Amino acid sequence: MQVRETGPQPTIETTPAQIPEAKRVRQLDRVIIRFAGDSGDGMQLTGDRFTSETASFGNDLSTLPNFPAEIRAPAGTLPGVSSFQLHFADHDILTPGDAPNVLVAMNPAALKANIADVPRGAEIIVNTDEFTKRAMAKVGYDVSPLEDGSLAAYHVHPVPLTTLTVEALTDFALSRKEAERSKNMFALGLLSWMYHRPTEGTERFLKAKFDGKPEIMRANLAALHAGWNFGETTEDFAVSYQVAPASAAFPTGTYRNISGNLALSYGLIAAAHQADLPLYLGSYPITPASDILHELSRHKNFGVRTFQAEDEIAGIGAALGAAFGGSLAVTTTSGPGVALKSETIGLAVSLELPLLIVDIQRGGPSTGLPTKTEQADLLQAMYGRNGEAPVPIVAPRTPADCFDAALEAARIALTYRTPVFLLSDGYLANGSEPWRIPAVHGLPDLQVRFATAPNHQQADGTEVFWPYKRDPETLARPWAIPGTPGLEHRIGGIEKQDGTGNISYDPANHDFMVRTRQAKIDNIAVPDLTVDDPDSARTLVLGWGSTYGPITAAVRRLRAESHPIAQAHLRHLNPFPSNLGEVLGTYERVVVPEMNLGQLATLLRAKYLTDVESCSQVDGMPFKAEQLALRIQEAIDAR
């Protein structure tokens, strides 16, 4: 498949006969749009609806929502700016894009917070109604940037969005404040016209959302249509744009747009179905993991039971109890919650019960940056418990891949009777991309065989149940449902005797149990690491988790400039793939980009005694492809 994410893209202008000369149509192969405004301006909803229509049109896409951590930051201030970036194309893309071709700024704060990312020549649509002296003073504008020439390098479209919206809704029984709330739909209509996006899906969405408020529903529809008509009639927008569907970039199938948290939720439901087990979620709400709790609570018809606990410890305690009772048990959280859950994770290691710990990483430490992304929980997942308490770690690489990663985490947990970490992050959780809906018959078989009869014969011939008598291949202990006659057994955090499960303080037994639990994790069957190296490169770029998109885009740029670069990406971080050491030894240089201060690099150096070069970023945002390409090139040139 040909890919073209390699820098500036050519455009071809056409003027179809049926379109007046004043309204030309320009064909583009990709566009990056950023909607930005106050956190109450509905930018996330606007971006989400534009994304949904773009997905239904058939473009490949990638999104980056970015919003304040405060529940309601002061209106019109820089901390209160919320934005939504969408990159869509007629070919395969991997990231939300480095810089927007179009910025929609709903107020001065939105303009000031985002203008540094906007390249020269880009289009800026500004809501002029909000550029009052007071609003500009809040963000440090002494004079209006719309009048002082500071935006001369851009194609600026001054649009009185608020006024136009209110005028479009004069026939509705709404107050001015209520009418102003629909200005995001006016902006959505305008952008839908500019990029030939369908609006039928948004119309259905508005009718369903405001079904009980018909006047609000009709007002939003009117604002949407008014925005479209404004683009069609105003002289300021002489050009509209078309981006063809990316049908050649996708295998045949049924697709939908999906976010990482939604894909992960569906993956958990699918895993429970494939295992023929009820799904139990014990969770406490925390950004950016809460959407999983919200989504799973809607699916009781699939045997899903959700429990919103009073705190993080109660959430995982309930989940571990559900695992003891025979459910596919899950707890969801972010970094601070993992710290609180650590003792119970250690208990799950001791009990050797399947449990999924879904950590949607965010900026830390402590409360840190609740709505920003980071990959800094890797060492916590690896070592953040007392004693020797090894836990497998799985990390998805894209929003859609969260579905498959959930299935893989469940496979490991159920097969090896162990808690498993699934490390996603805020970038994947809130971002979205097209997802090919898989056929159910193609999903892995996760069927579990519970213990149903005694498994050990004593010297006197009587048969008893030994809860720690292990499968010789997986070292997993039997999973016996409480209440099964004859299989009564004791659980708890105090060390158990091998086989019998009786409490044991014997030093030799403890040594054996510690080494056995470690061996069980070390021997988990995971696929070998595959390397993309078409040019026999001497430099390898190795990543994990959500860095996949930016790394791949950066590698494509470097290869387009005739730099031979190899790329590999880790899904399994504990245990590592068995061939990882061999792969590392094949290359003269290994560059490891990650959104932390070098945690994977530290693990690689410790385990394989190899010199890897850490390329780190901890600013709460994902890597930009161009920036990462330059840093990889610098690492190569420095040797």
Side-chain angles (χ1 to χ4, degrees), residues 3-90:
V3 294
R4 290 172 281 173
E5 191 168 341
T6 56
Q9 305 298 315
T11 61
I12 302 173
E13 288 194 14
T14 63
T15 308
Q18 70 272 24
I19 298 178
E21 181 65 27
K23 293 289 186 180
R24 293 169 294 166
V25 178
R26 180 174 297 172
Q27 300 291 335
L28 304 175
D29 63 357
R30 67 186 182 104
V31 175
I32 303 168
I33 299 175
R34 184 181 297 178
F35 299 92
D38 191 70
S39 58
D41 284 337
M43 294 296 94
Q44 301 304 319
L45 175 62
T46 305
D48 181 69
R49 293 315 313 161
F50 194 93
T51 299
S52 295
E53 299 293 5
T54 297
S56 69
F57 188 73
N59 296 117
D60 194 14
L61 60 89
S62 180
T63 67
L64 178 62
N66 187 16
F67 36 85
E70 291 82 359
I71 293 175
R72 190 66 174 92
T77 64
L78 293 176
V81 173
S82 175
S83 67
F84 188 104
Q85 182 162 306
L86 166 66
H87 183 190
F88 62 101
D90 66 0

Side-chain angles (χ1 to χ4, degrees), residues 297-423:
S297 68
R298 300 171 181 169
H299 297 288
K300 296 181 177 67
N301 57 311
F302 286 114
V304 179
R305 180 170 295 178
T306 54
F307 169 55
Q308 181 175 321
E310 66 269 26
D311 55 44
E312 295 281 3
I313 299 171
I316 189 173
L320 186 56
F324 181 54
S327 294
L328 176 57
V330 184
T331 189
T332 53
T333 190
S334 190
V338 174
L340 292 167
K341 295 178 188 290
S342 62
E343 182 179 6
T344 308
I345 297 172
L347 176 59
V349 172
S350 178
L351 300 182
E352 300 188 50
L353 285 170
L355 174 67
L356 301 185
I357 305 111
V358 178
D359 178 7
I360 313 298
Q361 301 166 96
R362 71 188 202 189
S366 187
T367 308
L369 304 174
T371 60
K372 310 301 179 184
T373 195
E374 205 164 271
Q375 287 182 298
D377 293 351
L378 177 56
L379 293 183
Q380 179 177 222
M382 185 75 77
Y383 300 121
R385 295 162 295 284
N386 66 295
E388 297 288 345
V391 175
I393 303 172
V394 176
R397 63 185 188 178
T398 68
D401 187 50
C402 289
F403 178 88
D404 296 312
L407 284 164
E408 175 63 1
R411 177 192 72 85
I412 293 173
L414 295 172
T415 302
Y416 296 90
R417 310 286 195 269
T418 178
V420 177
F421 263 102
L422 199 160
L423 290 185

Side-chain angles (χ1 to χ4, degrees), residues 604-615:
L604 296 176
R605 292 181 187 123
K607 184 173 180 63
Y608 299 104
L609 303 180
T610 185
D611 183 22
V612 299
E613 300 176 37
S614 178
C615 178

Side-chain angles (χ1 to χ4, degrees), residues 414-447:
L414 295 172
T415 302
Y416 296 90
R417 310 286 195 269
T418 178
V420 177
F421 263 102
L422 199 160
L423 290 185
S424 179
D425 60 43
Y427 173 35
L428 296 184
N430 297 315
S432 63
E433 65 177 351
W435 173 56
R436 185 187 183 192
I437 301 174
V440 174
H441 62 77
L443 299 178
D445 182 3
L446 302 179
Q447 287 283 333

Side-chain angles (χ1 to χ4, degrees), residues 201-213 217:
T202 296
E203 291 170 4
R204 289 192 298 269
F205 169 82
L206 291 171
K207 290 174 182 177
K209 181 177 178 65
F210 297 109
D211 182 51
K213 300 178 179 179
M217 179 264 290

